[in-house]
């Protein structure tokens, strides 16, 4: 049984003649056509974004992290999968309907369990466009995730139908717990980080936590809508969880998944280095533009995303440290 616990409590949730043969053949063909039409009509409509993505190979890789836990990786993006005896819980539907459908096909053929819930963390298109492929499951997101996703889609003139297909139908504020197939699955908001509505998913009995874009493995942080000071506090909360495995939203997972703790610590140190460099420039009286012109982190120059995000990281931290970003 799928149950959910939030601040409001617990809720449950078909040998004859030649003429006869021809008639039978015609009726069989007609019946087959009607069945095909009916099946097609039951499928969620494909969005233009999904059709465009289908022109590019959407297939990723499904791999087991430890028994009962998988990750589906498409380019650098990771979608987490929790297996229970009553179905799957998926974290993040990735960047298109085509990618999400490829993931669902991979899960159906390999894990052979139905998807019961989709948890979404980042409202950006690259982690929310795939939501349309999950019309048949409970979609969960933080209340700020829903607000920011709705605003993003309205600005982009997304159709009302696609908006409904991408938005969560269950929100929460601080935490929500699913009890499914004997597993306790905690959906947590640990504060602002990559966005103001990030969710993480923690499975205490398996000592594993899925971090979505709170953790970029072997990549520079992406902080266009992020809050660096809060992000550090969120990571401290994450590391204090009784977990051994920390699944990143981007980047590789080592053969020994317990090594992800060290990777998470390296990522946290990157945030510390970013913060400290900006703080030093503020202390010496540098303007925001002067800080951007001055600050470099040579130790991270080789990481994916560094060139694109260096200036943004300086500006977001400068604005938050000086009180301009609330």
């Amino acid at each position: 049984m799928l149950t959910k616990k939030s601040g409001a409590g617990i809720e449950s949730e078909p040998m004859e003649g030649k003429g006869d043969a021809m008639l039978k053949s015609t009726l069989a063909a007609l019946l087959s056509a009607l069945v095909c039409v009916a099946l097609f009509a039951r499928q969620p409509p494909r969005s233009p974004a999904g059709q465009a993505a289908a022109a590019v190979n959407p297939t990723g890789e499904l791999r087991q992290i430890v028994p009962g836990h998988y990750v589906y990786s498409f380019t650098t993006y990771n979608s987490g999968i929790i297996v229970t005896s009553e179905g799957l819980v998926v974290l993040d539907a990735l960047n298109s309907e085509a990618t999400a459908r490829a993931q669902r096909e991979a899960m159906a053929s390999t894990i052979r369990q139905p998807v019961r819930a989709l948890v979404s963390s980042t409202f950006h298109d690259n982690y929310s466009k795939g939501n349309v492929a999950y019309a048949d499951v409970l979609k969960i997101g933080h209340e700020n995730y829903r607000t920011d996703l709705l605003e993003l889609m309205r600005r982009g003139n997304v159709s009302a139908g696609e908006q409904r297909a991408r938005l969560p139908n269950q929100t929460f504020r601080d935490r929500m717990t699913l009890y499914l197939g004997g597993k306790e699955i905690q959906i947590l908001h640990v504060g602002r980080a990559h966005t103001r509505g990030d969710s993480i998913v923690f499975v205490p009995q398996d000592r594993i936590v899925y971090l979505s874009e709170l953790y970029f493995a072997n990549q520079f942080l992406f902080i266009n809508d992020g809050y660096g000071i809060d992000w550090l506090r969120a990571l401290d909360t994450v590391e204090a969880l009784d977990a051994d495995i920390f699944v990143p939203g981007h980047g590789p997972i080592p053969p020994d998944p317990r090594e992800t703790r060290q990777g998470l610590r390296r990522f946290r140190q990157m945030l510390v280095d970013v913060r400290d460099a900006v703080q030093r420039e503020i202390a010496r009286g540098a303007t925001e533009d002067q800080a951007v012109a001055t600050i470099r982190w040579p130790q991270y120059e080789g990481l994916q995303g560094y060139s694109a995000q260096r200036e943004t990281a300086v500006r977001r931290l400068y604005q938050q440290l000086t009180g301009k970003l609330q």
Side-chain angles (χ1 to χ4, degrees), residues 25-310:
S25 176
T26 301
L27 288 174
L30 178 59
L31 179 60
S32 177
L34 288 172
V35 169
C36 289
V37 169
L39 289 174
F40 181 79
R42 291 173 59 190
Q43 295 180 3
R46 291 186 176 272
S47 66
Q51 292 172 352
V56 180
N57 182 5
T59 304
E61 178 186 7
L62 178 67
R63 60 163 288 201
Q64 181 176 270
I65 305 171
V66 292
H69 295 271
Y70 288 74
V71 65
Y72 184 84
S73 301
F74 176 70
T75 64
T76 70
Y77 305 117
N78 295 328
S79 171
I81 303 157
I82 300 163
V83 183
T84 81
S85 61
E86 295 181 19
L88 311 180
V89 175
V90 174
L91 174 62
D92 293 324
L94 303 185
N95 65 333
S96 73
E97 181 181 357
T99 301
R101 289 191 181 280
Q103 176 174 348
R104 294 201 68 171
E105 290 171 6
M107 293 186 295
S109 63
T110 302
I111 306 174
R112 299 179 180 178
Q113 287 275 12
V115 179
R116 300 295 301 277
L118 169 69
V119 181
S120 297
S121 182
T122 301
F123 70 90
H124 299 144
D125 283 344
N126 58 358
Y127 274 91
S128 68
K129 280 196 170 185
N131 291 7
V132 296
Y134 288 87
D136 57 326
V137 308
L138 175 67
K139 294 197 289 294
I140 301 167
H142 187 265
E143 55 190 27
N144 288 338
Y145 164 84
R146 189 185 191 282
T147 298
D148 292 342
L149 175 57
L150 184 57
E151 176 61 24
L152 175 74
M153 292 191 294
R154 285 174 174 169
R155 289 199 312 265
N157 295 316
V158 173
S159 70
E162 184 177 337
Q163 289 184 34
R164 287 191 298 271
R166 288 171 66 180
L167 287 170
N169 40 40
Q170 176 73 45
T171 62
F172 70 100
R173 177 164 295 178
D174 298 311
R175 64 185 296 142
M176 176 177 173
T177 302
L178 302 179
Y179 296 96
L180 184 65
K183 285 189 185 294
E184 176 186 334
I185 301 170
Q186 298 179 11
I187 305 167
L188 308 174
H189 176 65
V190 292
R192 302 187 304 183
H194 175 69
T195 71
R196 69 190 189 110
D198 300 309
S199 295
I200 66 172
V201 181
F202 176 41
V203 186
Q205 71 193 70
D206 297 333
R207 302 180 62 85
I208 185 170
V209 57
Y210 296 82
L211 298 180
S212 188
E213 291 189 292
L214 268 73
Y215 172 26
F216 290 67
N218 299 339
Q219 296 182 28
F220 197 71
L221 70 160
F222 187 94
I223 196 170
N224 280 32
D225 295 300
Y227 302 84
I229 306 304
D230 306 75
W231 201 333
L232 279 166
R233 288 194 289 263
L235 291 181
D236 289 340
T237 300
V238 165
E239 195 166 357
L241 294 173
D242 195 15
D244 297 323
I245 302 169
F246 301 84
V247 182
H250 286 266
I253 299 171
D256 181 355
R258 291 171 298 183
E259 294 178 7
T260 52
R261 179 181 287 275
Q262 294 303 317
L264 180 65
R265 288 175 176 167
R266 289 192 297 270
F267 182 74
R268 185 190 181 280
Q269 185 60 49
M270 179 194 303
L271 270 166
V272 169
D273 293 342
V274 169
R275 179 201 62 191
D276 290 353
V278 176
Q279 185 67 73
R280 284 193 296 269
E281 290 302 304
I282 293 172
R284 73 176 187 86
T287 66
E288 183 177 324
D289 287 340
Q290 288 171 336
V292 168
T294 301
I295 295 175
R296 298 288 188 279
W297 297 282
Q299 68 271 41
Y300 303 124
E301 286 180 352
L303 293 181
Q304 179 179 336
Y306 174 85
S307 297
Q309 284 288 299
R310 183 197 63 82

